[in-house]
Amino acid sequence: MAVRQQGGAGKSTAAAGKGHRYMATILIVDDEEWIRDSIRLKLMRSGLPIDNIYDCASSEDALALLEGTSADIAICDIRMSGIDGLTLCSLLSLRYPQMQKIIVSGHSEFDYAVKAIQEGVVSYLLKPIDNVGLCNAVKNCIERMKNDPSAEIRMVSMREAVYENSENPAAGLAPNTIRHLMKSATPASFFGFCHIYTGEKNNISLSDMLSLVMRCAAGFAFGEDMFFFKGEPMEYTAVFCFPPATGAKWMPKLQKIAGDLIDELAGRGSFEATCGLEGAAMPLGPAYERAKSNMRYRIFLPEERIIRTEMAARFRDEYKINRQLMVRLRHALERGRYRELSEVLGQISDEISSMNISYASLDLLYGTLLGFAEDTGSAYASPPKPLWRYSSARGMINAVKELYLSRINVTFLQEENAKTHIANRVQDYLNNHYDENISLEQLAESHYITPAYLSFLFKDIFGINFLDYLQNIRLENAKSLLKTGSYKIKTVAEMTGFNDQHYFSRVFKKLTGISPREYVEKERTNNSNNNPHF
């Protein structure tokens, strides 16, 4: 990509301090290098308040550059291979409404000038470019920037909202930000959110997606009463500002935009687009999250392409994972029993299909099922996709089934790794919960395995049975507490899971050869001998 930069401190206008509020960053786009060099030289000698100058050999290079930096004024040639100058100006008007545009051409036909004006071009210069004409055109652009004090910050805010993949886009929807993003927004305005998922076969560029939204949102102007940003892969959000008097009319308007957008995407190929809709007054963060959440309920509403809050509201039941089915599932997976595996997954699918369970409950189930696959001890060929990417709950179950079947024929080494993986998880649990009342049956149930298999694991991995292992952990922690001399023996017994002090003393003496009291006296003597001043 042929891109050059030259300027003072190398900062964009967005990064300049308040003293450089009207220091302009200029982008020159022309496929002839000598013309770019000529314009650059004229600008550097002009004495105009210019902070940075970039130049690109094509419109494509310019658009790519602007995804990572900002410019206030674009000077574009009309005749270029690929995207021509007028088309570039049209795209710049959509993406960066506050950017000032100057067209340069060797053609004096009236039609070019008319089209340039229609694309919001400030000046139309003919080649060869003279110093006075160029300087006056740039000066005019800078004056226009000065006359709109909010233009700079609004332009930068829009670029960040549209092109930066924020971890929390809702954080950028604060009232002050909205006022900069939409000039027509007032404290009494109402906002409609359209959260768009294009489908896994998405191959649409960000600029094309923005153009589609603008085409479907007739009557709305980017930066005036609408803005648009990209979130996660294949997800986009359009926000529309409605006047306070709109009342309940906002939803039909938003549905019309969403419907037209889905039709446009369908006409471009095999898109499985779904839109989640929501509206709210300030604050807007919760409305954004709700629109996004509504879209994700597509997994329960595979026939719907536009999902509103009232449609998603009925999916609120909590799904309590059937532990008996989970134990059977793990047992079938560990032993490679294809038929039982399919049968259990079918039962789980029937259960969740008969309920209006919440997205969170289904996501918990999905995570549990993926966890069983991890316990085979082998890594995923590729990371599992998020739950909402599936077109239906049954589709998710089928995908999990395929994952299980691909892992059933594991080698002996993988089986050993699987056993070790489960044993380590149980070991970690006991190290953190030894003070609780734990039985082999409860521990097996909480890890979705049978008590018999858990008992086998302890003997196979650790060489002792479950009760002896648990007692060893408790006694080691009891020793540490007794060494401090800060606790009574009864208290130490309670803190390490022994409810009866006498039983604690018997077990302690059986395994160490001395009673807890003798152990405390022995430690005290050792400390005194090692430290005479103790």
Side-chain angles (χ1 to χ4, degrees):
M1 181 171 73
V3 177
R4 292 188 303 173
Q5 173 191 1
Q6 185 167 345
K11 296 181 180 178
S12 68
T13 305
K18 291 184 178 179
H20 296 83
R21 180 162 189 155
Y22 301 115
M23 293 288 285
T25 296
I26 296 179
L27 172 63
I28 305 167
V29 189
D30 196 300
D31 54 6
E32 296 189 68
E33 185 176 2
W34 72 270
I35 293 179
R36 299 198 307 271
D37 289 341
S38 174
I39 295 174
R40 174 188 293 274
L41 187 60
K42 287 180 172 65
L43 291 175
M44 291 175 63
R45 292 175 175 175
S46 68
L48 292 169
I50 296 172
D51 183 35
N52 254 330
I53 301 175
Y54 296 94
D55 70 75
C56 299
S58 69
S59 297
E60 291 82 357
D61 287 350
L63 292 171
L65 171 70
L66 289 171
E67 290 189 12
T69 189
S70 61
D72 304 302
I73 302 169
I75 303 174
C76 311
D77 185 25
I78 283 186
R79 289 286 183 92
M80 292 185 289
S81 59
I83 300 175
D84 62 56
L86 288 176
T87 303
L88 174 60
C89 287
S90 178
L91 291 172
L92 294 178
S93 294
L94 285 174
R95 296 189 184 186
Y96 315 103
Q98 306 305 321
M99 185 183 292
Q100 310 297 311
K101 296 173 287 294
I102 299 170
I103 278 289
V104 176
S105 174
H107 305 274
S108 57
E109 289 90 344
F110 179 73
D111 287 346
Y112 281 103
V114 171
K115 290 180 181 178
I117 292 171
Q118 289 173 345
E119 299 303 338
V121 171
V122 176
S123 298
Y124 186 94
L125 302 177
L126 292 176
K127 297 178 181 178
I129 304 170
D130 64 88
N131 285 339
V132 175
L134 177 63
C135 292
N136 285 338
V138 173
K139 189 182 298 183
N140 186 20
C141 291
I142 294 174
E143 288 300 319
R144 288 167 65 95
M145 292 167 53
K146 289 182 179 180
N147 291 333
D148 186 2
S150 65
E152 179 182 321
I153 188 169
R154 190 163 59 249
M155 180 183 69
V156 173
S157 297
M158 281 190 290
R159 283 199 63 261
E160 290 176 350
V162 175
Y163 295 106
E164 287 190 7
N165 293 330
S166 169
E167 292 182 2
N168 182 18
L173 303 180
N176 287 339
T177 304
I178 291 296
R179 280 194 286 273
H180 293 311
L181 291 170
M182 300 190 208
K183 288 197 292 187
S184 65
T186 69
S189 295
F190 192 86
F191 298 87
F193 285 76
C194 180
H195 192 83
I196 309 149
Y197 168 64
T198 58
E200 288 193 335
K201 296 179 180 179
N202 165 36
N203 60 355
I204 189 169
S205 68
L206 183 59
S207 60
D208 283 348
M209 189 67 189
L210 176 56
S211 298
L212 282 184
V213 172
M214 294 301 297
R215 185 185 309 166
C216 297
F220 289 89
F222 188 67
E224 294 288 334
D225 51 8
M226 174 266 185
F227 78 96
F228 174 86
F229 62 90
K230 186 179 188 301
E232 297 179 33
M234 292 167 276
E235 288 187 68
Y236 308 83
T237 301
V239 188
F240 303 92
C241 177
F242 295 95
T246 301
K249 296 179 181 178
W250 69 273
M251 179 55 84
K253 291 184 178 181
L254 204 57
Q255 282 186 268
K256 175 67 166 57
I257 294 171
D260 290 347
L261 184 59
I262 288 170
D263 290 343
E264 288 275 359
L265 288 169
R268 285 177 166 245
S270 54
F271 287 91
E272 298 176 356
T274 306
C275 294
L277 307 185
E278 182 58 282
M282 295 290 185
L284 301 186
Y288 164 76
E289 294 296 344
R290 172 49 60 191
K292 186 175 180 180
S293 175
N294 288 345
M295 179 278 295
R296 293 186 173 183
Y297 274 86
R298 64 189 296 274
I299 193 170
F300 298 119
L301 299 164
E303 303 302 319
E304 299 290 343
R305 287 291 171 258
I306 300 174
I307 303 175
R308 306 183 306 276
T309 300
E310 57 268 28
M311 298 168 65
R314 66 185 175 93
F315 298 98
R316 291 289 181 270
D317 296 346
E318 180 184 357
Y319 177 66
K320 295 182 180 179
I321 295 176
N322 188 319
R323 294 188 178 277
Q324 185 177 2
L325 285 179
M326 293 297 126
V327 170
R328 285 184 59 200
L329 184 63
R330 185 188 282 275
H331 188 270
L333 182 59
E334 288 165 351
R335 287 159 179 75
R337 297 179 178 175
Y338 293 86
R339 183 174 297 177
E340 186 178 4
L341 193 69
S342 299
E343 180 185 332
V344 174
L345 286 173
Q347 287 182 258
I348 293 172
S349 181
D350 291 341
E351 270 195 8
I352 62 179
S353 297
S354 64
M355 302 172 62
N356 289 324
I357 69 172
S358 68
Y359 182 88
S361 291
L362 188 62
D363 202 28
L364 177 62
L365 172 63
Y366 182 48
T368 302
L369 297 177
L370 290 179
F372 288 176
E374 290 178 357
D375 288 345
T376 62
S378 55
Y380 293 110
S382 59
K385 64 183 182 182
L387 175 64
W388 58 266
R389 294 272 187 89
Y390 293 101
S391 57
S392 67
R394 193 172 295 276
M396 177 272 286
I397 293 293
N398 289 337
V400 169
K401 181 179 177 180
E402 290 295 321
L403 177 62
Y404 286 173
L405 294 181
S406 70
R407 292 177 174 225
I408 277 183
N409 295 318
V410 294
T411 64
F412 174 77
L413 177 60
Q414 287 176 317
E415 290 177 355
E416 290 300 304
N417 288 341
K419 288 192 296 185
T420 303
H421 182 75
I422 297 171
N424 287 340
R425 284 172 54 188
V426 172
Q427 185 181 40
D428 289 342
Y429 182 87
L430 290 177
N431 284 334
N432 289 291
H433 298 271
Y434 62 85
D435 57 332
E436 300 173 10
N437 186 18
I438 304 173
S439 68
L440 179 68
E441 290 73 17
Q442 290 171 331
L443 188 61
E445 184 181 6
S446 66
H447 287 77
Y448 305 115
I449 54 180
T450 62
Y453 185 64
L454 181 58
S455 179
F456 160 76
L457 276 182
F458 270 97
K459 291 179 181 178
D460 187 52
I461 301 295
F462 303 117
I464 58 176
N465 64 37
F466 164 72
L467 286 177
D468 288 342
Y469 186 86
L470 179 58
Q471 281 191 349
N472 286 343
I473 292 177
R474 286 172 168 171
L475 285 176
E476 288 303 314
N477 281 277
K479 288 179 183 179
S480 297
L481 292 170
L482 290 171
K483 282 181 181 180
T484 66
S486 303
Y487 303 99
K488 295 181 179 179
I489 294 175
K490 181 180 179 182
T491 303
V492 171
E494 293 173 350
M495 293 172 68
T496 53
F498 292 94
N499 295 327
D500 183 275
Q501 179 183 344
H502 299 294
Y503 176 68
F504 167 64
S505 296
R506 288 200 303 273
V507 172
F508 192 95
K509 187 169 185 177
K510 178 181 178 181
L511 296 179
T512 65
I514 57 177
S515 68
R517 192 174 302 281
E518 291 171 331
Y519 182 82
V520 171
E521 290 298 327
K522 180 181 177 182
E523 287 298 315
R524 186 176 297 161
T525 301
N526 289 339
N527 287 335
S528 297
N529 291 336
N530 293 331
N531 184 5
H533 301 288
F534 181 72

